[in-house]
Amino acid sequence: IVGASTMLCIFLALSGIYLRWPRNGHTWRNWLALDFSLKGRTFLWNIHAAIGTWVLFFYLLMSLTGLQWSYEWYRDGLYKLAGVERPAQRGGEGGGGGGERNREPPAVPNLTTAWAAFESATQATGYSSANIDVSMREGQIQIRYLDADPAHERASNTIALDPASGAIARHGRYDAKPLGGKLTSSIFVLHSG
């Protein structure tokens, strides 16, 4: 219902611009100014059209970023358009099938060593918050953190560490991402304003 309503909002916003298009489209006053000399229904239409033009960008931004939570095809297209590989969903395939029983239990991670390696790696930039994932996904401890002065509240970095030695296997920084990666990482922030 939310996805269909969002698509309807996009349609209404774009059709409103089409219907609003003045004969003198190059005159910005026609698009943005309120005409207080008008009376009655003409004045109400002028208010509706001018304010609708003012908020059009924000409606489209909220709608186009929010639509990715509703439709898989839209999300896939968004990541493809941005030129970024879509992150894997958490939880994996299926729901705890029989294949899990025959696996060896993962090694107990050495959190003291991992934390020391993390603090050493973030010494130059600092950090304001950190979340440790000890589920040993891909056989590594993963720490998601924000820089001391992040670009926004979702501009997180990720360090993957070896559970025994604390050696850094991967360090993905938000600042090092290409523009498309930054935009797809910032969808929630763009959506919420």
Side-chain angles (χ1 to χ4, degrees):
I1 292 174
V2 173
S5 299
T6 303
M7 290 180 73
L8 184 61
C9 182
I10 293 169
F11 172 75
L12 289 174
L14 294 177
S15 64
I17 283 296
Y18 173 75
L19 294 173
R20 170 83 171 109
W21 200 270
R23 289 193 177 118
N24 297 331
H26 61 278
T27 307
W28 286 104
R29 182 168 172 75
N30 292 346
W31 283 87
L32 304 171
L34 294 173
D35 187 357
F36 291 102
S37 66
L38 300 173
K39 301 287 184 229
R41 295 179 76 154
T42 309
F43 176 66
L44 294 176
W45 181 88
N46 179 258
I47 289 175
H48 172 82
I51 293 174
T53 304
W54 297 346
V55 299
L56 175 74
F57 171 77
F58 301 105
Y59 273 173
L60 287 176
L61 180 67
M62 286 185 290
S63 297
L64 293 172
T65 55
L67 199 58
Q68 68 98 24
W69 285 294
S70 296
Y71 296 110
E72 194 78 21
W73 59 266
Y74 185 83
R75 185 176 19 246
D76 290 340
L78 192 63
Y79 278 89
K80 186 172 268 191
L81 183 66
V84 179
E85 185 177 326
R86 189 170 156 205
Q89 289 183 329
R90 293 184 180 169
E93 299 289 324
E100 298 290 324
R101 293 184 194 136
N102 297 334
R103 288 166 85 194
E104 289 184 29
V108 176
N110 185 342
L111 293 179
T112 306
T113 306
W115 188 255
F118 166 73
E119 287 201 318
S120 174
T122 59
Q123 194 170 27
T125 60
Y127 63 93
S128 60
S129 68
N131 296 321
I132 303 174
D133 180 3
V134 292
S135 65
M136 301 296 287
R137 201 175 301 133
E138 300 173 12
Q140 300 166 338
I141 297 172
Q142 294 192 14
I143 302 176
R144 290 179 57 110
Y145 71 97
L146 289 173
D147 287 332
D149 186 24
H152 55 76
E153 70 214 31
R154 300 273 174 126
S156 61
N157 309 299
T158 305
I159 290 183
L161 303 162
D162 180 80
S165 67
I168 297 174
R170 186 178 70 250
H171 191 173
R173 297 208 23 91
Y174 175 82
D175 294 338
K177 290 181 179 180
L179 178 62
K182 287 180 180 178
L183 288 174
T184 56
S185 297
S186 305
I187 286 178
F188 179 80
V189 176
L190 290 169
H191 178 72
S192 61

